[in-house]
Amino acid sequence: QVQLVESGGGLVQAGGSLRLSCAASGRTFSSVAMGWFRQAPGKEREFVAAISWSGSTSYHADSVKNRFTISRDNAKTAVYLQMNSLKPEDSAVYYCAASNPGASTTTMTGRAGVRYWGQGTQVTVSS
């Protein structure tokens, strides 16, 4: 079982940066792929980024590639999303997510691959 708590959201001007953090607990943390999703009001929850259990493999949605970077620190049982060059269309509630133990990283590129969800943290980017 994995428990996830996000933090680091807030209000930022377009072009600015934020770093989201996800604090995780559970014995299986090091064996699960992790990811970030986001959901704007009235919109579907969409994939943002994912990272393997070892941190050696990562994927980023085309909409955030070269602007956002996912990382993890297994010693601290934490996952991060560094968000640079933020745009108003990045405004959403951002959710930390975890796969089933042993699942491939690619399964985290869609909602169906998520086993555990955090409660979300709001990111608002003003123009």
Side-chain angles (χ1 to χ4, degrees), residues 88-119:
E89 52 262 44
D90 295 319
S91 297
V93 176
Y94 282 71
Y95 296 90
C96 185
S99 73
N100 281 305
S104 65
T105 310
T106 54
T107 65
M108 292 299 297
T109 60
R111 295 186 301 275
V114 177
R115 172 70 180 276
Y116 306 101
W117 293 101
Q119 292 183 323

Side-chain angles (χ1 to χ4, degrees), residues 3-125:
Q3 296 171 309
L4 309 171
V5 180
E6 303 96 332
S7 63
L11 176 65
V12 65
Q13 192 173 20
S17 299
L18 284 174
R19 191 181 79 154
L20 304 184
S21 297
C22 175
S25 62
R27 294 185 184 182
T28 61
F29 176 78
S30 295
S31 64
V32 300
M34 302 292 297
W36 289 93
F37 290 73
R38 66 187 183 186
Q39 187 169 22
K43 304 294 184 181
E44 296 291 326
R45 190 170 299 187
E46 65 175 350
F47 168 75
V48 175
I51 190 166
S52 65
W53 66 269
S54 67
S56 62
T57 303
S58 64
Y59 298 95
H60 297 81
D62 289 342
S63 60
V64 306
K65 194 168 295 182
N66 300 315
R67 297 190 299 119
F68 295 5
T69 303
I70 189 171
S71 62
R72 69 189 294 168
D73 185 338
N74 289 347
K76 296 181 178 179
T77 63
V79 181
Y80 307 98
L81 185 69
Q82 180 65 48
M83 309 164 68
N84 298 325
S85 301
L86 283 161
K87 305 175 181 179
E89 52 262 44
D90 295 319
S91 297
V93 176
Y94 282 71
Y95 296 90
C96 185
S99 73
N100 281 305
S104 65
T105 310
T106 54
T107 65
M108 292 299 297
T109 60
R111 295 186 301 275
V114 177
R115 172 70 180 276
Y116 306 101
W117 293 101
Q119 292 183 323
T121 185
Q122 177 71 50
V123 172
T124 303
V125 184

